[in-house]
Amino acid sequence: MSPAPSPTTDTVLEVSGLNVSFPSSDGAVRAVRGVDYALRRGEILGIVGESGSGKSVTSMAVMGLLPNTAQITGSITFDGQDLLTLSEQQLNGIRGDRIAMIFQDPMTSLNPVYTVGAQIAEAVRAHRDVTKAQALERAVELLRTVRIPNPEQRVSSYPHELSGGMRQRVVIAIAMANDPDVIIADEPTTALDVTVQAQILDALKAAQQETGAAMVLITHDLGVIAGQADRVMVMYAGKLVEVGSVEDIFYTPRMPYTLGLLGSLPRLDQQSERLTPIPGSPPSVVNMPPGCPFSPRCPLSTPECDDTEPVLESVGTDHRAACHHSSEVSGARPDEVFDTATVDADALGEFVQAAEGQA
Amino acid sequence: MSTTTGPTAAGTRTLLSARNLVKHFPVRGGGLLRRTVGEVHAVCDVSFELAEGETLGLVGESGCGKSTTARVALNLIPATSGEVRFGDRELTSTSAKDMRALRREMQLVFQDPYASLDPRMPVSELIAEPLRIHGLYDAGGRQQVRDLMKTVGLKPEHGNRYPHEFSGGQRQRIGIARALALRPKLLVLDEPVSALDVSIQAGVLNLLQELQAELGLSYLFVSHDLSVVRHIADRIAVMYLGKIVETGPAEQLFNAPAHPYTHALISAIPLPDPRRERARERITVVGDLPSPANPPSGCRFRTRCPKFAAELSASQQSRCTDEEPELSDRGTGHPVACHFAEARSLL
Amino acid sequence: MPEPRTSTTLTDQAQLAQTPGAAPVDREFTVAERSQTQLVFRRFLQHRAAMISLVVLVLLVLLAYVGGALWKYDVGEITPDNSVPPSLDHPFGTDAVGKDQLAQVLGGTRISLQVSVVVTLFATAIGTLWGSIAGFFGGRIDTVMMRIADLVLTLPLVAVAAMLGHNFGGTWYLIAFVIAGLYWAYVSRVARGVVLSLREKEYIEAARALGATNTRIILRHLVPNALGSILVNLTILVALAILLETALSYLGFGVQNPDTSLGLLVSEAQTALTTRPWLFYFPGLFIIIIALTINFIGDGLRDAFDPQQTKVRQ
């Protein structure tokens, strides 16, 4: 078992031993496998991972938003209570008040038939005993915080009258309406253009500073993580494979997957001849074979990796990695571990030859 | 005629050239007659050239007309006006029948590997389809399909599987194999890696680079991701609201961008490097993309332009409002469509 | 420092990870290979209500055709026993003139099923063609064609069918044509919707970009992909046709004696509801069973063809 993070007084949310699986006709889909983490007061915790890595499911479990078919074990402690044992009604008292969530697509989280002001006011009134007028006033104030121009007029707009970026700001305003302790942002900028993404990240940061909330920022974009997060968790095949400060993760990764991710990124700030991709595809989380899930794609893989799954072990101050070879990864460049060739040279040669033969 | 995207690499022949491309989409009203009530100006007077063996990156945010430009260049959507030359053929006046035959030489790779493969065809059949369409399958098609699968990194044994069983990256490889099957000269790649995870994206990019080196392909690479384009393109054209606003060799465009929009784009892309990312100078744009049905007068970017808002005097501003800047070299080393172009270093 | 690996490929990367001699573990595809058709079939088999309905319906069809042929009495045959309640000799009882109700109900079921099959075939053929043409070409052709279909849809179905049935009706296939003449418009709307959404699919554009002709696109891509949605709607049509035929016959505008149908049997029995209830209940029960089972089968098909439907039914 991995050592559980030591609960300190400034932990607002603690997840331990979280497992989530969904039944399917081909066997159980094990979306999350034994995730432990502690979210500290006021920090921005980034969760990175590719599609299917379980990064969203982990947070949906925290919010109690998974479908009934999901089988969840473990515990999620918030404010001394285990959220997994609470009733739907008790959860409703926490959701939107003390824990708020921001989704990828703002259009699905806003109701098209109400003005944005009414929706923010409703979020306020759901948890606070204030008059409608007071709630609307608060709505204007919130819209100003997320930097919406002319907030006094914008409160009476309908979602469809706003652009995607504006809508996402409204969603952020709703999330911060009740000064939550935790904001979970699930791919908040993925649906937006880069210039708008920059604006939204600013708004998110403003919201986080204004409320003092701890934020879980889920994204597949390592650039966003580099700019925003204090600590980073890397997920792969439903498991945490590396946890550390943003500098640890980007400058001294200890898990080959993290290293591979960094080597896969084309860089805006430097010209590179070839990238070093991670070979293969992410594993299916149905009927998983034993051993390290990254082993089939890992150049460092040894027979040990296929037999026993490595646990998350401390590799430095506040830095943990799940890899039998984490010491070999230390200090390595992506191109020293991964290979740049992606084409089967023989097959390509044959293909070229056949092409020339026909021409 | 001057080439508006700058000279192509010396000594190579031009494969594709577009001149003054315009594409307007009618906006139709309801009712029985469906009268046209307006026009969306998706592409306005776009010109570019692509040499043999070269990669031209077409970048811009959603709604800038880059995908439409690519489709008009392939004559998949008829141009409202303008010319497209492919080799020595003028495409806009080619008959539908000749065009179908000509498609052998120019292929399109789509963004969404989930939507662009017919879900009811097994992979080997999907890759065989281009050969069948052009009557080439009977001459050793089976073997070619196997070779193609190996070339793009798929196992030929998986030929009987259906697209839904593959991951996004594998599907995109299927899409590339389909496009390669006819041994085209030109591949138009419409956001080929945007839907893929990073680790997968890199593999597909390397595959594309290796294929280009081996087969001498020309790429028109459409993307919103500047990092990807910098990595793969020789030359780059930046589009905003249907127009090319800046174009030049990749290195120059990144090291000395001169258009305020390019500045904003480059500085909005987060670098995967915490220290550099947090220490960067930022140029942010305000507001959202204006409607392409009713673009601003003069310079189309002026409504969001940080330079226009902060640095220009009233008389300079009125020039932006009244006079549309043409795409020309204003001493920055490459063509820019800004009256007040100024090369800056942002990385 | 780890040694970089030299020119390994995607394929052998996975193989190298396995120990020699051991059976290779396929980590890429941990789920068995299945075609789209197999998936649809599997999902249908897992839909319990649909499977039960299918079995019941097949049994009912067998009963109507095989059972009807084997049964000792024929449709319209008058037996010496009149007005007897269900018994061993007459499991469904007899009516006032002594016709065996089991033979009558089985005969009626045959006619009702035949009507629904003919309606479905014709309405589907015409409607699919009409809707597909409108959807594929779009523009003004679409607008005009769909207004005509809308016009047919706005007609009060039972009233028009009754009028037409009165003038042309009598035999079961004429009734079927009348119903088909009204239901095709419904099918055409469905077909148009399906074609309209398929036409915008990227794989259609992909085929076009490869240089495919319209004929190839329609035959190889549009038709196979449209089939599922249209099939689902067919089942609803079968049930609707049976109900409309029943209603027409009940009103006296449908199938005429000596032919019989389930609707006609119900209508003939309505005066005897209190005295000889079996005359009313058995044909009524058959109508309900047919309509319900077909609806459930349609439900199962819809779920089976939905590609997002991957989870297990609880």
Side-chain angles (χ1 to χ4, degrees), chain B residues 188-200:
Chain B
V188 173
L189 302 142
D190 186 7
E191 304 262 14
V193 296
S194 311
L196 307 179
D197 283 320
V198 244
S199 74
I200 302 301

Side-chain angles (χ1 to χ4, degrees), chain C residues 196-226:
Chain C
L196 220 51
S197 74
L198 285 179
R199 207 181 55 156
E200 300 303 318
K201 284 277 185 330
E202 220 168 50
Y203 57 80
I204 302 291
E205 196 194 0
R208 202 161 273 148
L210 289 174
T213 56
N214 272 349
T215 322
R216 186 182 172 90
I217 291 174
I218 293 173
L219 292 182
R220 292 306 306 266
H221 298 288
L222 276 181
V223 170
N225 282 288

Side-chain angles (χ1 to χ4, degrees), chain B residues 31-34 71 76 100 103 106-108 110-112 115-121 125 129-130 132-134 152-155 157-158 160-162 164-166 170 173 178-179 182, chain C residues 10-11 14-15 26 28-29 31-37 39-40 139-140 143-144 147 201-214 216 220-222 224-226 228 305:
Chain B
L32 200 62
L33 296 175
R34 301 167 55 83
R71 280 168 173 72
L76 276 171
R100 276 201 297 273
R103 296 222 174 276
M106 49 176 95
Q107 291 289 315
L108 179 59
F110 291 83
Q111 167 176 11
D112 185 349
S116 55
L117 301 174
D118 187 334
R120 285 179 210 286
M121 276 195 181
E125 197 45 41
E129 188 177 26
R132 288 188 197 278
I133 288 172
H134 293 273
V152 298
L154 296 167
K155 293 183 195 170
E157 309 84 276
H158 292 157
N160 289 331
R161 290 191 177 253
Y162 284 79
H164 68 92
E165 301 180 76
F166 290 87
Q170 290 168 319
R173 287 167 191 268
R178 254 160 84 86
L182 296 167
Chain C
L10 254 182
T11 33
Q15 280 147 16
D26 195 345
E28 220 172 318
F29 290 100
V31 170
E33 174 174 327
R34 274 183 211 115
S35 74
Q36 201 74 16
T37 323
L39 278 177
V40 166
R140 219 151 285 176
T143 314
V144 172
R147 284 307 150 274
K201 284 277 185 330
E202 220 168 50
Y203 57 80
I204 302 291
E205 196 194 0
R208 202 161 273 148
L210 289 174
T213 56
N214 272 349
R216 186 182 172 90
R220 292 306 306 266
H221 298 288
L222 276 181
N225 282 288
F305 276 108

Side-chain angles (χ1 to χ4, degrees), chain A residues 253 259 328-334 336-337, chain C residues 1-2:
Chain A
L259 188 70
E328 290 170 55
V329 181
S330 177
R333 284 202 318 269
E336 290 168 332
V337 174
Chain C
M1 199 69 59

Side-chain angles (χ1 to χ4, degrees), chain A residues 50-51 163 193 195 229 251 268, chain B residues 61-62 197 199 230 273 288:
Chain A
E50 299 179 289
S51 38
S163 67
D193 279 321
T195 54
Y251 301 128
L268 193 63
Chain B
E61 297 179 282
S62 50
D197 283 320
S199 74
R230 169 170 198 171
D273 183 331
D288 298 293

Side-chain angles (χ1 to χ4, degrees), chain A residues 111-336:
Chain A
N111 187 332
V113 302
Y114 293 107
T115 63
V116 298
Q119 295 185 56
I120 302 173
E122 192 198 316
V124 175
R125 280 161 59 84
H127 301 282
R128 298 277 179 284
D129 189 18
V130 293
T131 65
K132 259 197 180 135
Q134 283 170 319
L136 266 179
E137 232 168 80
R138 172 102 174 109
V140 174
E141 191 186 305
L142 287 165
L143 288 181
R144 190 170 292 126
T145 315
V146 294
R147 301 184 189 147
I148 288 190
N150 308 324
E152 293 84 0
Q153 282 140 48
R154 281 299 177 204
V155 278
S156 40
S157 301
Y158 287 90
H160 69 89
E161 297 171 325
L162 303 176
S163 67
M166 287 292 168
R167 282 182 211 136
Q168 194 60 303
R169 286 170 208 232
V170 172
V171 174
I172 295 172
I174 291 175
M176 59 186 288
N178 293 307
D179 274 329
D181 297 320
V182 176
I183 298 177
I184 297 175
D186 188 357
E187 302 270 9
T189 59
T190 304
L192 306 170
D193 279 321
V194 273
T195 54
V196 180
Q197 163 171 297
Q199 300 167 6
I200 294 302
L201 290 175
D202 282 348
L204 259 184
K205 204 130 206 182
Q208 194 248 347
Q209 275 159 7
E210 180 86 11
T211 57
M215 181 153 83
V216 178
L217 178 63
I218 303 163
T219 176
H220 66 277
D221 189 334
L222 285 161
V224 170
I225 292 286
Q228 312 293 322
D230 301 314
R231 284 197 308 134
V232 183
M233 306 201 300
V234 183
M235 286 193 76
Y236 189 78
K239 248 190 63 164
L240 290 181
V241 294
E242 185 160 6
V243 182
S245 72
V246 69
E247 301 228 335
D248 286 340
I249 298 293
F250 281 87
Y251 301 128
T252 53
R254 296 296 292 273
M255 161 79 195
Y257 175 64
T258 317
L259 188 70
L261 274 185
L262 293 169
S264 301
L265 283 176
R267 295 284 291 259
L268 193 63
D269 52 346
Q270 51 194 246
Q271 179 61 290
S272 47
E273 208 37 52
R274 285 283 192 276
L275 302 168
T276 52
I278 304 175
S281 311
S284 154
V285 284
V286 189
N287 308 332
M288 289 182 68
C292 173
F294 187 60
S295 163
R297 303 175 71 187
C298 183
L300 303 177
S301 168
T302 53
E304 185 193 7
C305 300
D306 287 332
D307 296 337
T308 40
E309 186 160 6
V311 294
L312 212 51
E313 278 167 348
S314 181
V315 292
T317 322
D318 224 2
H319 186 183
R320 292 180 294 152
C323 178
H324 295 308
H325 302 282
S326 66
S327 57
E328 290 170 55
V329 181
S330 177
R333 284 202 318 269
D335 58 343
E336 290 168 332

Side-chain angles (χ1 to χ4, degrees), chain B residues 72-112:
Chain B
V72 172
L74 281 178
N75 204 13
L76 276 171
I77 311 178
T80 306
S81 70
E83 293 174 11
V84 182
R85 288 192 77 78
F86 178 78
D88 50 7
R89 296 288 292 262
E90 169 53 47
L91 296 188
T92 45
S93 59
T94 302
S95 74
K97 190 162 171 278
D98 290 351
M99 197 60 227
R100 276 201 297 273
L102 210 55
R103 296 222 174 276
R104 258 187 86 164
E105 313 207 333
M106 49 176 95
Q107 291 289 315
L108 179 59
V109 174
F110 291 83
Q111 167 176 11
D112 185 349

